[in-house]
Amino acid sequence: MRKEILTLSELNEKGVKVARLAGNRDLNEKAVKAKMKSMREYGQLVPAIIVDASTAIKDGLKVIDFTTGEEIKDGNDYVVLLDANHRYSAHLRLLEENAKVEPDKLYKGEFYFVYSLNPSVGIEKALAEINIATTPWKGADYVKGVKMMVEEELPTLDFVSDLTCVGYSLDAASKWATFGSKINKTVLVRAINGNIDEVLRKSNNINRGRTLVEAAKKSFSTEFLKSRTLIDWIIGKYEDTDDSEKSTFTKNMSHFLANVQRENAENIEKAKGTRGGKTKETIIYEELSRLWKNYMEENLSLIHISEPTRPY
């Protein structure tokens, strides 16, 4: 077991480069800048955890050069960061800034690494424990973790990933994909550890979710769609629909969403609750329900026609 602390300078002298796992959490610019400020003042307080890139590649993980982003096929000359991606990025930025600052303001910090202290724990499990138990992930990070570590094709998870990657909460993305909070952190942690729930394997509702999202984008702002408000209302209407009419629900709802007049959509998006009165959500639900009722009444005779007669 290698317990010694290694420096970046030592790795460079040996011709060893630093890589990261493709699919690990994206670098957050705000977090990198915060790390830069901290490291400029205090240096690196905790070493980064690494493994040999060849081990990660052998385990079936995709490894990319930290600086260039190019995939590494032969990892003999690389180590892979299991954590500290933001700290390492901050260190590199600070070194770059040295060319632009006065001599007395040069960043002279070193970057330190230590190999994972329990080599009997697989990389996937170690990564999960480091990022979940020690430094909690956000919803999108859990999704990325599953996509990185699970080789099985999971179309429903891909759809959820598409949404969380652009800012949807995990709960909102799950509801668009499954009409419920079925894909949550617990389910994703189990998947990371090799226990894949059936909800991740089912793909029969993907087209419904994609159709409704794309339709809603034609009328409502992206920020509004990222919240759970609209999808919660849609789910409520679906649950209120008679079983005999649920087969046409997606067609009708997608036509309705795509043809809400922008003026009405803006009023819905700008709705505000009143103290002691109706909540914001209640106001939104009531307005959506009013428009939906008008749509269904006026288009009842055109239920099987692809486009409604006019916008709402």
Side-chain angles (χ1 to χ4, degrees):
M1 183 188 302
R2 289 171 287 186
K3 293 184 178 180
E4 72 273 18
I5 302 294
L6 303 171
T7 68
L8 180 59
S9 297
E10 289 171 338
L11 292 181
N12 289 337
E13 289 175 2
K14 297 177 182 178
V16 177
K17 300 178 182 179
V18 178
R20 60 178 303 201
L21 295 172
N24 201 351
R25 68 173 74 187
D26 293 330
L27 292 176
N28 179 284
E29 183 64 20
K30 184 177 180 181
V32 172
K33 289 183 177 179
K35 295 296 183 184
M36 289 175 67
K37 181 179 179 181
S38 173
M39 293 176 71
R40 185 183 291 112
E41 186 170 357
Y42 303 109
Q44 183 185 359
L45 301 178
V46 180
I49 300 173
I50 56 174
V51 295
D52 288 326
S54 57
T55 301
I57 294 171
K58 183 179 179 181
D59 286 352
L61 298 174
K62 183 178 179 180
V63 175
I64 58 175
D65 184 285
F66 195 96
T67 304
T68 67
E70 295 179 359
E71 183 175 358
I72 307 304
K73 298 296 185 180
D74 180 358
N76 291 330
D77 296 326
Y78 280 88
V79 292
V80 179
L81 289 170
L82 291 191
D83 78 329
N85 287 285
H86 288 95
R87 276 178 282 157
Y88 186 67
S89 181
H91 177 76
L92 296 182
R93 293 264 198 99
L94 288 168
L95 292 179
E96 290 177 0
E97 287 188 356
N98 279 347
K100 306 174 185 178
V101 300
E102 299 297 324
D104 60 334
K105 295 182 180 180
L106 289 175
Y107 169 71
K108 299 178 181 179
E110 180 60 272
F111 200 85
Y112 301 90
F113 307 87
V114 63
Y115 275 91
S116 180
L117 296 178
N118 191 347
S120 66
V121 177
I123 292 176
E124 294 93 337
K125 182 62 177 178
L127 184 68
E129 288 302 307
I130 290 169
N131 289 293
I132 296 172
T134 306
T135 306
W137 276 347
K138 297 178 181 178
D141 297 322
Y142 284 88
V143 177
K144 285 180 175 293
V146 177
K147 286 179 64 63
M148 176 175 59
M149 298 176 198
V150 177
E151 294 182 2
E152 180 179 339
E153 291 293 328
L154 300 171
T156 297
L157 186 70
D158 290 339
F159 178 39
V160 170
S161 178
D162 291 342
L163 297 180
T164 57
C165 282
V166 294
Y168 287 66
S169 69
L170 177 58
D171 191 42
S174 173
K175 288 180 176 180
W176 283 106
T178 69
F179 268 31
S181 301
K182 300 174 184 178
I183 299 177
N184 52 39
K185 292 179 181 178
T186 300
V187 168
L188 297 177
V189 169
R190 282 201 294 266
I192 288 172
N193 289 315
N195 301 312
I196 302 174
D197 285 49
E198 195 60 31
V199 67
L200 295 177
R201 292 193 168 104
K202 290 182 178 179
S203 59
N204 54 309
N205 291 325
I206 296 177
N207 288 337
R208 176 182 65 185
R210 290 191 185 279
T211 297
L212 293 174
V213 168
E214 291 305 314
K217 286 180 180 179
K218 296 179 181 179
S219 301
F220 296 95
S221 68
T222 301
E223 289 304 311
F224 182 66
L225 297 186
K226 289 179 183 179
S227 74
R228 296 173 299 184
T229 308
L230 181 58
I231 185 56
D232 280 344
W233 175 81
I234 293 173
I235 293 171
K237 289 304 173 186
Y238 178 77
E239 292 174 345
D240 291 340
T241 301
D242 292 339
D243 289 344
S244 61
E245 298 177 356
K246 284 184 176 179
S247 62
T248 59
F249 178 84
T250 300
K251 178 186 287 187
N252 292 327
M253 180 57 73
S254 63
H255 290 166
F256 165 71
L257 294 172
N259 289 278
V260 173
Q261 289 184 341
R262 185 56 195 151
E263 180 181 355
N264 289 330
E266 288 180 346
N267 288 336
I268 290 170
E269 293 169 358
K270 295 176 181 178
K272 294 182 179 180
T274 58
R275 181 175 298 179
K278 295 179 179 178
T279 65
K280 174 182 177 179
E281 287 73 19
T282 297
I283 295 172
I284 291 174
Y285 293 163
E286 289 181 349
E287 180 61 13
L288 284 168
S289 294
R290 182 186 70 80
L291 296 173
W292 172 248
K293 180 180 179 182
N294 291 343
Y295 170 86
M296 291 301 289
E297 288 178 350
E298 296 188 22
N299 289 272
L300 187 60
S301 62
L302 303 173
I303 203 76
H304 298 297
I305 297 179
S306 60
E307 293 293 341
T309 55
R310 68 177 180 83
Y312 285 81

